[in-house]
Amino acid sequence: MRSDVRVVVARYNEDVAWLEQTGLDYVVYDKGPDPVADARILPNIGREAHTYLTHIVREWDSLAPHTAFVQGDPFDHLDPDRATGPQDLAAMIIRCAERGVPFRGFAWFKLKCDGLGRPHDLNKPENEGRWAGWGKDIPVERVFRELFNAEPPAHYVARAPAGLFCVSAARVRTRPRAMYEHALRLIEDDPHDAENTGHAFERLWQLIFNGNTLWNKDTYA
């Protein structure tokens, strides 16, 4: 088994048997009512961002050279021309490691939005009740200001929608551990994502991992 990559899975109730087909080292963080064997149990809060940030903070000194962060069932969001199953996903992850790619999103699409996450579908009548933050905007700019010492852009291009991406440990560590701890507190303060805090991270992963150390704050309250 490769030692240079690890797959981190945010599971609720999905069938994650596909992980064995990747041939890669993996860890499952489980928030569901029926956790799988050997999973690390977390409270069901904060969407997948809570899972990913928890892993980074807890494993800071032992991160794999490349970590792929994925949801329990990632395949509907992958490019059908390049990745249709577990082995295809594994090949994408391995390419990132072998080519030294610092960050790559795996979804077949990208999202463009403003500082309120617009356009979004959190106010569509047919989606009422699907999310605690239904009917509200996504606080992309607010979270940006919490994380970075920089002026927020007018528009954001989310290159890792659906929370599917691979990032190198070196790129993770271009930000201080304190930033990730602060990010985790932001999510824990909105545990049911009623204000869409966790949702905002989906629009910000590419900036969190862009390697621009000039954006780092001296301290994180």
Side-chain angles (χ1 to χ4, degrees):
M1 185 172 292
R2 302 181 68 103
S3 61
D4 56 343
V5 296
R6 195 177 200 189
V7 183
V8 170
V9 182
R11 179 184 186 266
Y12 178 70
N13 204 31
E14 302 88 353
D15 182 356
V16 293
W18 59 268
L19 283 162
E20 290 296 328
Q21 299 178 50
T22 67
L24 300 177
D25 182 32
Y26 65 84
V27 58
V28 176
Y29 288 87
D30 208 312
K31 297 182 176 182
D34 186 19
V36 296
D38 300 321
R40 300 180 183 182
I41 308 303
L42 291 177
N44 185 24
I45 63 173
R47 301 170 62 91
E48 73 277 354
H50 173 261
T51 299
Y52 300 169
L53 291 166
T54 295
H55 180 80
I56 290 171
V57 169
R58 291 183 180 180
E59 301 291 319
W60 183 259
D61 294 321
S62 56
L63 292 169
H66 276 78
T67 301
F69 292 92
V70 300
Q71 298 197 39
D73 182 6
F75 300 104
D76 285 347
H77 300 292
L78 300 181
D79 186 342
D81 294 328
R82 293 187 297 173
T84 57
Q87 294 178 346
D88 301 302
L89 176 58
M92 293 169 66
I93 296 168
I94 291 169
R95 282 197 297 272
C96 288
E98 292 182 341
R99 298 176 183 178
V101 177
F103 175 81
R104 180 186 174 186
F106 289 144
W108 65 266
F109 59 97
K110 297 179 177 64
L111 296 174
K112 184 177 180 180
C113 70
D114 64 12
L116 293 174
R118 300 175 181 176
H120 58 70
D121 58 3
L122 294 178
N123 53 7
K124 291 184 177 179
E126 60 268 29
N127 290 327
E128 185 173 4
R130 290 186 62 190
W131 304 287
W134 180 87
K136 299 179 182 178
D137 288 319
I138 304 170
V140 180
E141 181 176 321
R142 177 176 65 79
V143 174
F144 181 100
R145 290 183 182 278
E146 287 278 353
L147 300 181
F148 307 124
N149 181 29
E151 281 300 309
H155 294 93
Y156 302 76
V157 178
R159 302 187 184 279
L164 306 174
F165 58 89
C166 187
V167 63
S168 71
R171 181 56 64 86
V172 171
R173 295 188 182 115
T174 59
R175 306 277 181 223
R177 185 177 184 175
M179 190 216 72
Y180 298 103
E181 292 171 337
H182 182 62
L184 195 53
R185 288 194 297 270
L186 294 177
I187 290 176
E188 290 170 343
D189 286 343
D190 184 18
H192 302 297
D193 212 36
E195 301 302 323
N196 294 315
T197 306
H199 207 135
F201 280 84
E202 181 183 359
R203 314 298 176 98
L204 291 170
W205 293 123
Q206 73 284 347
L207 299 181
I208 290 170
F209 300 122
N210 71 2
N212 187 348
T213 58
L214 294 177
W215 285 11
N216 294 344
K217 293 185 177 183
D218 294 330
T219 60
Y220 292 85

